[in-house]
Every structure is written in C-alpha cells, then in structure tokens.
Amino acid sequence: MDMSDPKKPMARHLGPLDEEELITSGIRHSPKDFGFQWTYGLRRFTGCLGQVPASLALQLFSLALFTVLLVAILVQVSEAPGSQGLENSKQEEIYQELTHLKAGVARLCRPCPWDWTFFQGNCYFFSKTQRNWHDSITACQEVGAQLVVIKTAEEQNFLQLLTSNRLTWMGLSDLKHEGTWHWLDGSPLLLSFMKYWNKGEPNSSGEEDCAEFRSEGWNDSKCDWRKFWICKNTSTPCSSD
Ligand code: MMA
Ligand code: CA
C-alpha cells in the first residue's frame, strides 16, 4: 500500500499519526466531505479528553465557569453606579415632595379652632350670646373646653383687654364656702390675684357668688344673671420637630 497516495486515505486502519495527517492535509475540503471531517475532529477531541484525568477536566470546567461568573459580576458592578444614581434621583424626588407636603401641612395647621383666639399655648372662645354662670360652664363643656380658669398675670391682662367692658363670666366662685374663692379646676384664688378685684369687691351684695370681668377688673355678681362667657382649651401643636 502506497501511503503517499492521496486518493486512498481510508484504505487501511489509521494510527494517531495518520489522523494528524488527515486533519492537516487539504484534501477533504469539499462540501460533500465536511460532515465527515467535523465528526471525525470531534471524536478525536473527546478521544484526547479521554486521555486527560477526570480531575483536571473538572478543574478546567470549573475555571471556565468561574471566568463566566466573574465576567457576569463585573458587568453587573459596572452597571451598578447607573442604577444607584437612578435610585438616588428617585429618593431625592420623594424627599423634595415630602418637604413640599410638610410645608403645606404647616401652612394649613392652626393652633386653635375657627373663631377661637390663640394666646400663649391656649385657645379662647369669646361668646357672642349670654348665659347664666352654670349654663356657661355647660356651654364650654359641650365644646370640650372649660369656663376660663386664669393661671398667669399675662393671661389675665390679655382677657381683661379683650372683654372690653362686656360683662363676662370666668370660672371662679365662692359657691361652696362664702368668702373662699376657688377656680373650676379646684385651685384656690391666690393672694397675688386679689389685686384684680375692682375697688370694694368682692362685696357679695345681695348674695353674689360668681366672678365676672367688669370694666377694669373683677366683680362678684349673682350667678343667675346672663352674661357673656369665655371658654379655654389647650392649643394644638403645629410642628412635631
Ligand atoms: C352692682 C353689682 C355688684 C357690684 C356693685 C358695685 C349695685 O351692685 O354689680 O356686684 O359690687 O354694683 O358698685
Ligand atoms: Ca359685687
């Protein structure tokens, strides 16, 4: 058999050297022979792997997989700043909207209900109608407030000024013990407040047990008379920070 004859390459059993010759030689490049050449090459490759130890093959495969994963992670990381920037801009948008809404709520917030007057952390309602002392207490209770109990000199001066000579009930009486004045919250009338009685008052002229704002100061008057009244309540805080 002539081994140099290119027309009879498959005429005998092929050894490893012959296979090398067959692959490197340019004799089988016609389309008709391509399928044969491919399967032949693949078989040769797997044949080679067959000679490689299984552990090394696994290491090679692991290395390839690791490389693919590393590339995937690198791609993800390289994309991260973009997506993070998008998240930040969304957060900034939400933050600005929240700030805007907070300002809106702050503008809408009122410490006192409509028609009430704010003064030093409290709300005051000056009645437009007149009632006796007991019914004035009830009127204030009905709106969740109390017939005014005066706690400070500033408050007294503010209320005295706003009653502007209208006869107006306050939450002070000596109904329980004649001559002993107590506020509706049970606290006694302090000596420091005695100066607010008008001159000669309280005189209990013909049984007067309830206190009113009258001209420049206070007067004790008959509890059954109908007068204006003032309700007092704590104000609503407008900002939580
Ligand atoms: C009225 C009445 C009294 C008050 C005196 C002051 C006549 O009575 O308002 O409560 O003490 O006036 O002159
Ligand atoms: Ca009096």
Side-chain angles (χ1 to χ4, degrees):
M1 178 98 25
D2 188 359
M3 283 174 68
S4 65
D5 186 1
K7 287 162 187 163
K8 296 174 184 173
M10 299 300 287
R12 58 174 182 87
H13 177 75
L14 298 170
L17 280 171
D18 297 305
E19 290 173 20
E20 193 66 34
E21 275 177 21
L22 283 168
I23 288 161
T24 53
S25 68
I27 59 165
R28 256 186 291 251
H29 285 178
S30 66
K32 191 187 83 178
D33 293 329
F34 186 78
F36 168 77
Q37 191 187 5
W38 162 244
T39 49
Y40 183 69
L42 187 70
R43 186 164 60 80
R44 187 172 168 269
F45 176 69
T46 51
C48 281
L49 268 184
Q51 290 163 12
V52 173
S55 62
L56 184 63
L58 194 67
Q59 280 179 38
L60 284 166
F61 179 74
S62 300
L63 187 69
L65 192 68
F66 176 77
T67 306
V68 166
L69 282 170
L70 193 69
V71 166
I73 289 162
L74 284 170
V75 165
Q76 282 287 100
V77 166
S78 69
E79 280 172 8
S83 64
Q84 190 62 51
L86 200 70
E87 287 297 305
N88 285 346
S89 72
K90 277 180 186 171
Q91 278 186 10
E92 181 61 27
E93 212 172 289
I94 290 162
Y95 178 79
Q96 282 181 3
E97 184 62 22
L98 193 64
T99 305
H100 186 246
L101 283 169
K102 273 180 156 180
V105 169
R107 275 195 301 274
L108 286 169
C109 183
R110 293 289 177 270
C112 298
W114 175 251
D115 228 23
W116 289 57
T117 305
F118 176 81
F119 181 77
Q120 293 185 349
N122 291 293
C123 300
Y124 300 88
F125 175 77
F126 295 83
S127 78
K128 282 115 195 127
T129 57
Q130 298 175 85
R131 291 188 178 198
N132 68 39
W133 191 78
H134 284 97
D135 287 350
S136 296
I137 290 173
T138 307
C140 291
Q141 286 172 345
E142 281 170 356
V143 292
Q146 189 177 48
L147 188 62
V148 67
V149 170
I150 302 167
K151 292 292 181 187
T152 69
E154 291 92 333
E155 187 182 16
Q156 152 57 24
N157 296 336
F158 161 77
L159 296 173
Q160 191 75 57
L161 198 72
L162 266 69
T163 51
S164 57
N165 296 328
R166 282 192 306 270
L167 305 182
T168 305
W169 290 126
M170 66 182 81
L172 178 67
S173 81
D174 69 343
L175 281 163
K176 279 189 178 169
H177 300 285
E178 178 59 38
T180 308
W181 293 84
H182 281 91
W183 296 101
L184 280 179
D185 67 355
S187 62
L189 179 64
L190 299 175
L191 280 168
S192 59
F193 282 81
M194 295 301 185
K195 64 182 175 189
Y196 300 121
W197 289 113
N198 285 329
K199 197 177 175 183
E201 308 296 344
N203 59 2
S204 200
S205 172
E207 198 63 55
E208 298 177 319
D209 296 325
C210 296
E212 64 173 346
F213 293 97
R214 189 186 184 103
S215 60
E216 305 298 302
W218 301 352
N219 174 51
D220 58 341
S221 187
K222 292 188 190 300
C223 300
D224 291 337
W225 289 119
R226 286 155 53 92
K227 300 173 190 291
F228 294 101
W229 71 92
I230 302 168
C231 299
K232 177 183 176 182
N233 207 353
T234 52
S235 66
T236 308
C238 272
S239 65
S240 55
D241 50 10

